[in-house]
Amino acid sequence: MAKPGIIIVKAGREKSLERRHPWLFSGAIDEQRSNLEGVEPGGIVEVRGIDGGFLGRGYYNPHSQIRVRILSWDQTEALGPGWWRIRIARAIASRGALVKRPDLDAYRLVHAESDGLPGLIVDRYGDYLVIQALTLGVEVVKQHIVEALVDLMQPRGIFERSDVDARHKEGLSDAVGLLYGEEPPTPLVITEQGVHYPVDVHTGHKTGFYLDQRDARAWLLAHPEVQGAEVLNCFSYTGSFTACAALNGAASITAVDSSQPALDMTAQTMQLNGLSDYPVELICADVFKQLREFRDEEREFDLIILDPPKFAQSAKHLDRATFGYKDINMMALDRLRPGGTLLTFSCSGLVGPDLFQKVVFGASIDAGVEAQIVGWFSQPADHPVLLAFPEGHYLKGLAIRVLGQG
């Protein structure tokens, strides 16, 4: 095996690595002292301090602002195909409680940095696996990863959905297609908490479904606030929240999404769960504009769900993102009857829980309502957050009860 190149970290820039944060940015590297002779992009390098002391070992990408992603803090650990298999097996084993659940056959198996596998996402959908290779280092060893997953999980097929912006920052183009076995059907039907959902792993959002919203769906299935409520589901996608609210006895549901194919799949979701005759209104529209139309019509609801896409793609978008969150939450709070509930979410990792709560508070002031937080949401246990990598915590949500006019 070729000897790894050596990256030398500038004096004073080694603190994050000593705390086991797995990213090393380009500005922290002493280019003159480093030795990258013979290192191919995506290849393994050792990271050392200015005194030569070992800090970590990981893969290198000269095309990315994140030059090195650390795979191991052990200088003696070899990083060949066997390493990837062992680390993937560890991640799968940590989901043992989910594997044993008879009411659940879809969940995340590998959550990138938080499972010690930077740049790799693996989701299970029934008998199929969907992977995302987000970085060059993972792209280089992708075949080894597929072989490990086949050995460990014996899936019917493995499909790749590496069509995300993160790859472009790594100098990679999109990659979508079958990597092993049979092509997944469209739709692929999964089961979660006894509810059936159609999933399009070929073109759907993320890897096909919002697996990270399992806890919110459980809330909608169980809470009495849903029963008899007039519900508005914004950014409704394929209708998982819609079906859960209907199954828990909501009086009626209005689902709004800008994608007609997503709304068409909502009808499939309802049919799969014996809800074909349920009174659901499907509106294909921009949510911001539709909420303003509801305001003009003086139309109100008992429960509103806001689960928008990521507004902050990078730090430079943060101000615009917080404005967007404030605007949409203000409009939703304005459309709730007194005693009504808002379930509001943000999947922007750059918008932390404290900032998100402040934004929603500001929205309540602008809406002229008095409200209280009655519940908190986050990503479930199969989307863990490594303590040394707080960036892994991206999903946050609040259940807000409107008490009346402020």
Side-chain angles (χ1 to χ4, degrees):
M1 183 179 293
K3 190 174 182 180
I6 302 296
I7 293 282
I8 302 298
V9 179
K10 293 176 180 177
R13 302 296 294 273
E14 70 284 347
K15 299 299 182 183
S16 65
L17 293 175
E18 291 175 346
R19 296 186 181 109
R20 298 204 166 190
H21 190 286
W23 291 354
L24 180 64
F25 287 89
S26 59
I29 295 174
D30 189 325
E31 302 282 359
Q32 292 184 336
R33 288 186 170 87
S34 299
N35 180 6
L36 294 168
E37 184 178 353
V39 178
E40 295 291 329
I44 299 299
V45 295
E46 281 192 2
V47 180
R48 297 183 177 274
I50 201 76
D51 60 355
F54 178 81
L55 292 170
R57 183 184 284 128
Y59 57 73
Y60 171 76
N61 185 355
H63 309 298
S64 172
Q65 285 297 313
I66 305 174
R67 284 288 195 272
V68 184
R69 296 177 194 252
I70 303 297
L71 299 175
S72 176
W73 309 99
D74 183 351
Q75 190 171 2
T76 66
E77 193 171 27
L79 298 179
W83 180 91
W84 287 91
R85 188 190 186 284
I86 291 169
R87 192 60 64 90
I88 291 169
R90 187 180 77 178
I92 293 171
S94 72
R95 274 77 171 174
L98 295 177
V99 174
K100 295 174 183 176
R101 282 180 55 174
D103 65 336
L104 183 68
D105 66 1
Y107 42 83
R108 178 150 295 182
L109 289 173
V110 175
H111 190 49
E113 278 84 350
S114 289
D115 276 310
L117 290 157
L120 177 62
I121 297 291
V122 183
D123 289 336
R124 179 195 172 193
Y125 292 101
D127 295 329
Y128 298 86
L129 302 180
V130 181
I131 77 167
Q132 289 182 324
L134 304 177
T135 58
L136 178 59
V138 171
E139 183 70 24
V140 168
V141 298
K142 188 162 63 181
Q143 187 55 39
H144 297 317
I145 290 167
V146 170
E147 291 169 1
L149 289 169
V150 170
D151 184 40
L152 292 164
M153 295 294 294
Q154 294 87 48
R156 182 172 291 183
I158 300 178
F159 194 79
E160 180 174 16
R161 281 294 308 278
S162 301
D163 51 349
V164 293
D165 290 340
R167 277 178 67 94
H168 306 160
K169 296 176 182 178
E170 289 276 310
L172 297 168
S173 57
D174 292 345
V176 177
L178 188 67
L179 296 177
Y180 166 81
E182 300 177 17
E183 190 89 16
T186 301
L188 194 168
V189 178
I190 62 169
T191 300
E192 179 191 272
Q193 299 165 118
V195 185
H196 308 297
Y197 302 107
V199 177
D200 182 355
V201 301
H202 295 82
T203 63
H205 295 179
K206 302 181 89 170
T207 60
F209 189 71
Y210 290 107
L211 294 171
D212 53 6
Q213 285 287 22
R214 187 167 61 248
D215 290 350
R217 286 188 286 270
W219 189 98
L220 286 164
L221 283 169
H223 271 252
E225 291 94 326
V226 179
Q227 296 164 16
E230 292 183 44
V231 178
L232 173 61
N233 183 11
C234 298
F235 308 99
S236 58
Y237 190 39
T238 57
S240 64
F241 288 161
T242 301
C244 289
L247 289 167
N248 193 17
S252 65
I253 304 173
T254 299
V256 182
D257 198 276
S258 61
S259 167
Q260 187 59 51
L263 292 171
D264 292 341
M265 194 168 280
T266 296
Q268 294 183 43
T269 302
M270 301 300 277
Q271 185 177 15
L272 281 169
N273 292 285
L275 298 166
S276 298
D277 297 328
Y278 186 84
V280 58
E281 179 184 7
L282 304 178
I283 300 176
C284 186
D286 176 272
V287 170
F288 286 85
K289 293 179 180 178
Q290 189 61 49
L291 283 170
R292 286 183 166 84
E293 284 193 24
F294 288 148
R295 178 196 61 195
D296 295 341
E297 296 167 0
E298 298 184 350
R299 186 174 174 184
E300 295 182 325
F301 301 89
D302 303 301
L303 173 65
I304 297 178
I305 305 163
L306 291 180
D307 187 21
K310 183 190 293 186
F311 285 171
Q313 302 293 336
S314 65
K316 67 181 180 181
H317 297 135
L318 187 56
D319 287 344
R320 187 175 68 184
T322 54
F323 177 81
Y325 285 123
K326 185 178 181 182
D327 186 37
I328 202 165
N329 279 278
M330 180 272 292
M331 290 188 289
L333 289 165
D334 180 65
R335 292 297 87 214
L336 278 171
R337 298 185 179 102
T341 302
L342 170 65
L343 299 189
T344 181
F345 302 91
S346 166
C347 62
S348 299
L350 291 168
V351 179
D354 289 344
L355 176 57
F356 185 58
Q357 184 172 325
K358 289 176 182 176
V359 168
V360 176
F361 166 68
S364 73
I365 297 298
D366 288 354
V369 300
E370 185 180 8
Q372 56 187 191
I373 300 173
V374 294
W376 287 262
F377 298 95
S378 188
Q379 58 217 60
D382 55 330
H383 294 65
V385 181
L386 189 69
L387 282 174
F389 185 71
E391 293 90 339
H393 182 203
Y394 66 95
L395 180 64
K396 74 288 302 180
L398 300 169
I400 305 289
R401 179 184 294 136
V402 171
L403 301 176
Q405 296 298 310

